């Protein structure tokens, strides 16, 4: 992992529902940035055991173990008391793991060193990023954004990195992209 945001998984359609990015932070842990339905959630380690959560660039907050944060009401509920019935997404913390859940969009589990994403079935073949395209054909999972076959995880991380700050410090794939129509047609299935 490097210091630039890297797309782990995203719904790469005309009107995307989610995108999940990670990067190494100043504490040598993994920082998380998730876009859900046009809203940005960032969970950034502030120490080895504390995290700052920010939604749409707002003021940072943290939630305690077994707490749930609901958006858009911005309500925090302790221990499952008074669960909201209508929300766009919720963030809850169980033990040391945060879960961001947006029904029928995505579910993201994150603990500061690992991230797992559960994508809904309707994004099959429309997913992109380090996790592949979710079309169930494992022969072509190592594709970059230009539909080029990549050799290893280092090239994947470089190909899917995002220079959000525009500093030009993100890694690049060191060889020329070799586009193949075979890769394109496989993705359409």
């Amino acid at each position: 992992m490097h210091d630039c945001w890297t797309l782990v998984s995203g719904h790469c359609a005309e009107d995307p529902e989610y995108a999940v990015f990670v990067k190494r932070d100043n504490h040598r842990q993994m920082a998380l940035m998730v876009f859900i339905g046009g809203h940005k959630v960032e969970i950034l380690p502030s120490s080895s055991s504390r995290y700052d959560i920010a939604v749409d660039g707002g003021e940072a907050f943290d939630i305690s173990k077994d707490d749930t944060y609901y958006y858009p009401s911005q309500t925090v509920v302790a221990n499952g008391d008074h669960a909201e019935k209508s929300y766009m997404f919720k963030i809850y913390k169980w033990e040391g793991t945060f879960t961001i859940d947006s029904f029928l969009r995505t579910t993201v589990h994150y603990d500061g060193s690992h991230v797992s994403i559960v994508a809904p079935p309707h994004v099959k073949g429309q997913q992109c990023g380090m996790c592949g395209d979710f079309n169930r054909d494992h022969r072509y999972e190592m594709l970059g954004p230009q539909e080029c076959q990549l050799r290893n995880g280092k090239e994947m991380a470089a190909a899917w990195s995002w220079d959000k700050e525009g500093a030009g410090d993100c890694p690049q794939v060191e060889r020329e992209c070799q586009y193949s129509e075979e890769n394109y047609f496989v993705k359409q299935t």
Side-chain angles (χ1 to χ4, degrees):
M1 187 176 358
H2 45 75
D3 299 335
C4 294
W5 290 109
T6 300
L7 180 65
V8 177
S9 175
H11 179 212
C12 293
E14 190 173 313
D15 187 20
E17 295 181 3
Y18 71 92
V20 179
F21 293 86
V22 297
K23 75 173 184 175
R24 182 175 52 211
D25 81 328
N26 297 338
H27 301 282
R28 312 288 294 168
Q29 291 179 288
M30 180 189 301
L32 177 75
M33 180 170 54
V34 178
F35 292 90
I36 300 173
H39 299 280
K40 179 171 74 170
V41 176
E42 291 181 282
I43 304 179
L44 308 173
S46 56
S47 69
S48 62
S49 61
R50 285 199 38 87
Y51 296 85
D52 289 332
I53 303 168
V55 177
D56 290 334
E59 188 174 327
F61 63 93
D62 193 9
I63 55 176
S64 300
K65 177 182 146 188
D66 299 328
D67 282 357
T68 303
Y69 166 89
Y70 291 94
Y71 185 86
S73 72
Q74 301 182 13
T75 304
V76 176
V77 176
N79 296 318
D81 298 335
H82 186 68
E84 289 194 19
K85 295 181 195 268
S86 179
Y87 56 88
M88 176 173 270
F89 61 84
K90 64 182 177 181
I91 305 169
Y92 55 94
K93 187 174 184 180
W94 185 69
E95 297 298 325
T97 301
F98 292 92
T99 299
I100 303 170
D101 183 38
S102 182
F103 184 68
L104 292 180
R105 282 196 173 99
T106 191
T107 301
V108 179
H109 303 284
Y110 163 78
D111 69 1
S113 62
H114 296 87
V115 64
S116 66
I117 298 122
V118 179
H122 68 271
V123 302
K124 180 182 173 205
Q126 299 175 5
Q127 184 170 300
C128 62
M130 295 278 297
C131 289
D133 62 10
F134 190 39
N135 73 350
R136 301 170 121 194
D137 188 344
H138 299 286
R139 296 175 296 166
Y140 301 98
E141 292 301 314
M142 298 286 285
L143 295 179
Q146 289 81 30
E147 306 294 325
C148 300
Q149 192 71 33
L150 301 168
R151 291 184 280 200
N152 54 42
K154 185 177 178 181
E155 282 190 356
M156 285 283 286
W160 291 104
S161 66
W162 176 28
D163 189 7
K164 182 179 176 217
E165 285 79 30
D169 296 335
C170 292
Q172 302 290 318
V173 177
E174 296 175 3
R175 61 188 177 89
E176 190 173 319
C177 177
Q178 298 296 319
Y179 175 77
S180 166
E181 283 194 15
E182 179 182 1
N183 295 346
Y184 175 78
F185 290 118
V186 167
K187 194 170 172 88
Q188 302 307 307
T189 60

